[in-house]
Amino acid sequence: MAGATISGFYAHMIRLENISKQNGNQLLFIEASAGLQKGEKIGLVGPNGAGKTTLFRMITGQEQPDEGLVAVDRGVTIGYFSQDVGEMSGRGVVAEVMDGAGPVSAVAAELRELEAAMADPARADDMDEIIERYGEVQGRFEELDGYALEGRAREVLAGLSFSQEMMDGDVGALSGGWKMRVALARILLMRPDAMLLDEPSNHLDLESLIWLEDFLKGYEGGLLMTSHDREFMNRIVTRIVEIDGGGLTTYSGDYEFYEQQRALNEKQQQAQFERQQAMLAKEIKFIERFKARASHAAQVQSRVKKLDKIERVEPPKRRQTVLFEFPPAPRSGEDVVTLKGVHKGYGVRGIYEGLDFQVRRRERWCVMGVNGAGKSTLLKLVAGSTEPDQGSVAIGGSVKMGYFAQHAMELLDGERTVFQSLEDAFPQAGQGSIRNLAGCFGFSGDDVEKRCRVLSGGEKARLVMALMLYDPPNFLVLDEPTNHLDMATKEMLITALSQYEGAMLFVSHDRHFLAALSNRVLELTPEGVHQYGGGYTEYVARTGHEAPGLHE
C-alpha cells in the first residue's frame, strides 16, 4: 500500500492485509494490502478481469482470501451493489427499496396487509381485532420513523428517474436496467457505514447520474466504487486504489491525478530500467573481456558477485491500448437527413408534433432530453426502424448509414464465434485483416474463437462496433454506444471518432464522450425542441445545466 504505513491501518474500518487469492489458474492478488477509512471515497481501477468484483466479494464475506486477512470493524454495516441483481417480483417498487432498511420494512408489509384486510368485506367479522392490531402496528411503524423512510425511499427513486406510477407498480414488471436502479436505491436508502458500488453508473441516464453524484458527495460513510465513467469518478473520489499485477497501490487524489501520477511513475521506471540495463551491459562486457586473464581474476569475481546481488528493475508493464483507424468514409452530399413536419406518438402519448430537423455533412449532433422525451425514437425514425405517423424523413444522396442500437447486441448469432461473425459480414476481407480488426476492438489471441453467446455486454458492444465501422458509413447514428465499454475502449472510440469525417447523430450519458465529439446539440423538452450551435461544453455553459431535467 503506497503512502501508508502499517500503523496507519488501524484507523481503517475495512482492512485488507497481505491478501493472496487465486481463481483457477489466475493469480489475482499476491500479498496485497489496502484499507478504507470512515468518510473516505475511493475509486477502484484496473483492467477487466483484474479482480475488482472478487475484491468486493471478499469484503462482504462471499469469498475468502487464500492467505492474509480481510478485517471489517465490529458493527460496521456494508451495502454492496453489484451488476447481478437476482430475482425481484411480487412486491411494489417502494416496498422492495425499503426492504434493505431492516425491521421497518417487515412492519410496513404488515401495515399494508392490514389495510387490505380492513377493506375486505369477507373479513368483516374480525374487524375489531384487525383494527386493534392496525393501531399497534401503526404505532410501531411511527416509532421506527417509517413514514419518513417511505418519503426518503420515494425521493431516492425520483432521483433515479422513477415516475410515481412506476414506484407504485410491481417491481417484477420492470426491465433489467430498471431493476438495477431498484437494487441501487435499496443501498442508498440503507445509508450503511460503507458502500461498495460495482459500476453504479452503467444503467443510468444523465439526470440520474448527476443526481447520484450529488447524493454520494453528501454521503458521510466510506465508499469504494468502480465506474467506467471517468467524469463521474473524478467528481466523487479522493483516492484511487489500483489493482495491477496482483498488487494494490493507493494514490491520493482523483482519477485525473492518478492518470498523471501513473504516467509519471512509468516514465521514471522506464528511465531507471534503461540506466540499469546500460550499467549491466557495461559490467557484462568487462567480465567477458577479462574472464580469461588470470591477472584480472579477482576483479572479475567481485564484479560477478556484485551483479548477482543487484536487484533488477523491471520495465513498466505496457498497457495494451489499441488504436482503431477508420478507413476514410465515402463523402456524402451536403444534406444527410431531413425531417419535415414529423408527428410521432405511441398510443395516446404524443412525442413529436411537427418536428423539423436537419443533419448536414460533418455535423455531429448529440440529442439531449429526459427519460421518455423521445431520444431513441428520433434515432429510430432517422434509421428507418420506425415510421412517422405524419411528415417525412428523407435521407440525402450517397448517404451510407451505420446504426448502433442497444438491441443490436441481441441480434448476434450466439453460435458463431467472433471471427466467424466478422467473416460472415466481410467475406472479401482476408484472415489477416479480420484478425487485425478484431485486435483493434480488444479481441486478441484466442478471444476471436469465443462464441457470441458467452460474450460479456462490453464484448458484444465492441463486436457490434467492429461490424459497423470496418467498412465505414458516412453517417453514424449511435444510441448509447458506450454503455458497456470500459475506459480504455471508450478512449479508443473517442480518438477514432474525433478523426471521423462523416456526420453523427447520437445519444449518450457519458459527459466525456459528449464533450469530446459533439458540435451541435438538439435538446428535447416538454416546451419544445431547441437547437444549439456548438457542442455539449458550450451547451452547459449557455444553459447553466448539464442535462435538460436539471435546472440549477
Side-chain angles (χ1 to χ4, degrees):
M1 171 143 179
T5 56
I6 291 292
S7 63
F9 265 144
Y10 298 101
H12 294 114
M13 54 181 183
I14 296 175
R15 300 187 301 285
L16 305 163
E17 293 180 21
N18 296 322
I19 54 163
S20 296
K21 176 78 177 167
Q22 190 163 351
N23 254 1
N25 297 334
Q26 196 190 5
L27 269 173
L28 291 177
F29 298 104
I30 307 154
E31 295 190 350
S33 299
L36 175 68
Q37 294 179 4
K38 186 173 167 31
E40 203 173 29
K41 296 184 170 69
I42 293 181
L44 185 62
V45 301
N48 276 351
K52 297 191 284 277
T53 303
T54 305
L55 188 77
F56 283 142
R57 291 174 62 86
M58 287 194 292
I59 293 172
T60 55
Q62 290 163 286
E63 285 190 38
Q64 298 303 319
D66 301 334
E67 285 170 32
L69 174 72
V70 177
V72 178
D73 279 355
R74 189 184 283 131
V76 165
T77 53
I78 292 179
Y80 172 39
F81 169 77
S82 79
Q83 295 292 305
D84 181 16
V85 291
E87 264 314 293
M88 280 186 194
S89 67
R91 267 204 285 213
V93 169
V94 173
E96 186 72 48
V97 170
M98 285 172 69
D99 189 46
V104 68
S105 64
V107 179
E110 191 181 346
L111 256 192
R112 274 188 292 276
E113 277 163 31
L114 290 164
E115 278 164 10
M118 278 161 41
D120 182 354
R123 309 273 308 263
D125 296 348
D126 312 331
M127 204 46 76
D128 291 347
E129 282 163 51
I130 292 171
I131 289 172
E132 189 182 344
R133 179 68 188 148
Y134 185 75
E136 290 165 16
V137 175
Q138 195 178 29
R140 178 83 184 111
F141 192 59
E142 278 174 5
E143 258 170 54
L144 289 167
D145 215 7
Y147 290 107
L149 188 74
E150 181 165 337
R152 277 196 8 236
R154 287 179 180 273
E155 221 171 281
V156 168
L157 286 164
L160 295 175
S161 300
F162 281 81
S163 65
Q164 290 301 328
E165 65 194 317
M166 283 169 84
M167 289 184 206
D168 295 324
D170 185 330
V171 69
L174 299 175
S175 69
W178 286 97
K179 280 183 177 157
M180 291 262 188
R181 295 187 192 205
V182 172
L184 179 59
R186 270 174 80 147
I187 307 290
L188 301 181
L189 184 69
M190 234 176 104
R191 286 200 173 243
D193 301 318
M195 274 194 228
L196 312 180
L197 303 181
D198 196 359
E199 292 296 344
S201 53
N202 248 6
H203 293 268
L204 301 181
D205 52 66
L206 194 50
E207 287 75 31
S208 308
L209 198 61
I210 291 163
W211 177 86
L212 178 59
E213 210 166 83
D214 286 341
F215 183 97
L216 292 176
K217 280 183 195 160
Y219 165 65
E220 284 166 9
L223 173 67
L224 182 63
M225 70 167 199
T226 62
S227 172
H228 290 325
D229 186 321
R230 57 184 300 148
E231 195 61 40
F232 177 70
M233 179 95 94
N234 236 344
R235 296 183 187 201
I236 296 168
V237 306
T238 50
R239 284 166 98 76
I240 293 282
V241 169
E242 179 190 48
I243 304 181
D244 194 19
L248 291 169
T249 312
T250 302
Y251 295 80
S252 294
D254 60 12
Y255 185 78
E256 212 159 291
F257 173 78
Y258 149 76
E259 273 197 319
Q260 293 162 353
Q261 205 49 45
R262 198 198 145 88
L264 195 68
N265 292 354
E266 277 186 2
K267 212 166 147 186
Q268 287 169 344
Q269 197 176 341
Q270 183 66 30
Q272 247 177 318
F273 171 73
E274 283 168 9
R275 275 201 303 275
Q276 191 181 58
Q277 289 298 310
M279 184 272 292
L280 292 175
K282 216 155 123 188
E283 292 291 313
I284 289 164
K285 202 168 161 191
F286 178 89
I287 292 166
E288 286 301 316
R289 195 163 143 211
F290 293 112
K291 69 179 176 195
R293 294 193 194 175
S295 57
H296 284 72
Q299 265 175 300
V300 167
Q301 275 317 103
S302 78
R303 288 200 180 196
V304 168
K305 276 186 191 152
K306 183 174 136 191
L307 275 192
D308 287 343
K309 279 186 190 151
I310 286 176
E311 200 171 312
R312 303 293 158 112
V313 174
E314 293 289 318
K317 291 187 194 68
R318 284 275 163 257
R319 285 291 162 110
Q320 252 192 321
T321 43
V322 273
L323 282 180
F324 176 62
E325 285 184 15
F326 281 98
R331 185 183 163 137
S332 69
E334 282 304 310
D335 298 343
V336 176
V337 65
T338 307
L339 283 74
K340 278 193 180 145
V342 166
H343 286 253
K344 181 71 186 173
Y346 293 104
V348 290
R349 201 165 73 88
I351 295 181
Y352 292 113
E353 287 170 13
L355 172 68
D356 294 325
F357 172 59
Q358 185 175 51
V359 176
R360 297 172 68 80
R361 196 168 77 81
R362 302 191 79 157
E363 287 182 341
R364 298 153 174 227
W365 287 88
C366 69
V367 186
M368 311 287 298
V370 297
N371 254 340
K375 301 188 292 284
S376 294
T377 302
L378 176 67
L379 269 51
K380 285 177 188 161
L381 284 164
V382 167
S385 66
T386 188
E387 294 293 318
D389 302 336
Q390 242 178 289
S392 64
V393 176
I395 301 294
S398 58
V399 167
K400 182 179 166 206
M401 189 189 313
Y403 174 41
F404 178 92
Q406 293 304 305
H407 71 261
M409 321 223 278
E410 292 145 34
L411 302 179
L412 295 168
D413 180 345
E415 290 312 307
R416 305 293 280 166
T417 64
V418 169
F419 189 82
Q420 288 166 335
S421 306
L422 293 168
E423 210 172 26
D424 296 344
F426 312 114
Q428 273 78 47
Q431 290 233 347
S433 114
I434 286 182
R435 279 187 186 277
N436 207 357
L437 171 68
C440 284
F441 281 87
F443 297 104
S444 52
D446 297 341
D447 286 347
V448 294
E449 298 309 328
K450 280 186 183 173
R451 290 188 192 280
C452 289
R453 62 181 155 76
V454 303
L455 298 179
S456 69
E459 288 172 321
K460 282 183 182 163
R462 296 203 308 262
L463 177 55
V464 170
M465 298 241 169
L467 289 166
M468 184 174 70
L469 298 175
Y470 175 66
D471 181 13
N474 49 27
F475 179 35
L476 288 176
V477 179
L478 310 174
D479 195 355
E480 293 287 3
T482 63
N483 246 4
H484 297 275
L485 302 182
D486 59 28
M487 286 205 202
T489 313
K490 225 182 266 190
E491 286 302 325
M492 175 205 90
L493 191 62
I494 289 173
T495 307
L497 289 176
S498 55
Q499 308 298 315
Y500 172 69
E501 298 268 299
M504 281 171 70
L505 177 68
F506 65 95
V507 173
S508 172
H509 66 243
D510 188 296
R511 285 160 293 182
H512 183 50
F513 191 85
L514 287 167
L517 295 174
S518 59
N519 59 21
R520 300 277 187 285
V521 176
L522 183 73
E523 182 186 47
L524 312 174
T525 71
E527 293 75 52
V529 175
H530 307 291
Q531 303 189 12
Y532 295 87
Y536 177 71
T537 310
E538 289 92 331
Y539 162 81
V540 174
R542 281 172 63 177
T543 60
H545 53 251
E546 293 190 291
L550 300 167
H551 298 289
E552 270 127 51

